[in-house]
Amino acid sequence: MTLASHSLIAVAIASKVTNPALGLPLILISHFVVDKIPHWDVMTNKNKTHRQIAIGTFTDIFAGLILAGLFNVVFLNSAVNPAYFLAGVGLSQLPDLFEAPHVIFKMNFPGSELDYKFQKWIHDVGFDARLAAPWGILTQIATVGVFLLWAIV
């Protein structure tokens, strides 16, 4: 899933699970659960350069913050307080960001390669969860849409 999708799912969970002690672990777990749903993301095309991956990732980070923030303000009337919002969005993106030093910069940041291998296993166990556009984008929109509808009802 894109970081923007993880961010929107995080704000949906935070709006329904108002206790951060419960919501934040659920947000982190949701990252891995929804990554198993066939989807497109920045890493779907393995032939991208490190620069393309880095630009796509940084764009995705900020798109996630903006879209989740807009959803919280416009549709949830700022129901999720700012600290919980930032913690939830940050935690929702953390697994993908933690692997960035290994994937983008080929750095041996402690734990980065292990995180990459774990997430690759999540994506690949049973079947490859990466799906080319447009189908991977459509499944992602549907998945996020379910969470967003749940948040507003």
Side-chain angles (χ1 to χ4, degrees):
M1 294 274 168
T2 63
L3 296 172
S5 293
H6 287 301
S7 299
L8 287 163
I9 291 168
V11 78
I13 292 170
S15 74
K16 290 295 189 181
V17 183
T18 57
N19 180 347
L22 296 173
L24 292 173
L26 286 174
I27 288 168
L28 181 60
I29 291 166
S30 78
H31 179 100
F32 303 105
V33 171
V34 299
D35 261 1
K36 195 57 198 160
I37 297 169
H39 64 279
W40 174 92
D41 62 26
V42 172
M43 295 295 294
T44 298
N45 181 351
K46 306 276 190 209
N47 296 323
K48 291 180 181 169
T49 66
H50 296 307
R51 179 183 161 99
Q52 289 171 318
I53 293 169
I55 290 169
T57 299
F58 288 115
T59 302
D60 200 7
I61 290 168
F62 294 111
L65 280 168
I66 291 166
L67 292 172
L70 285 171
F71 185 78
N72 186 38
V73 170
V74 174
F75 291 98
L76 301 176
N77 297 316
S78 300
V80 181
N81 81 41
Y84 188 19
F85 172 83
L86 289 174
V89 168
L91 197 58
S92 76
Q93 295 184 358
L94 187 63
D96 289 346
L97 298 179
F98 194 62
E99 71 181 21
H102 174 73
V103 173
I104 298 172
F105 305 111
K106 298 296 181 195
M107 293 172 54
N108 289 328
F109 185 79
S112 184
E113 183 178 5
L114 181 62
D115 178 53
Y116 170 76
K117 288 179 180 179
F118 177 69
Q119 289 207 77
K120 184 173 179 354
W121 178 77
I122 292 287
H123 280 99
D124 295 342
V125 67
F127 61 91
D128 185 357
R130 296 196 196 275
L131 192 59
W135 304 113
I137 294 170
L138 294 174
T139 58
Q140 194 161 186
I141 289 169
T143 302
V144 172
V146 167
F147 278 91
L148 298 182
L149 285 173
W150 171 61
I152 60 176
V153 294

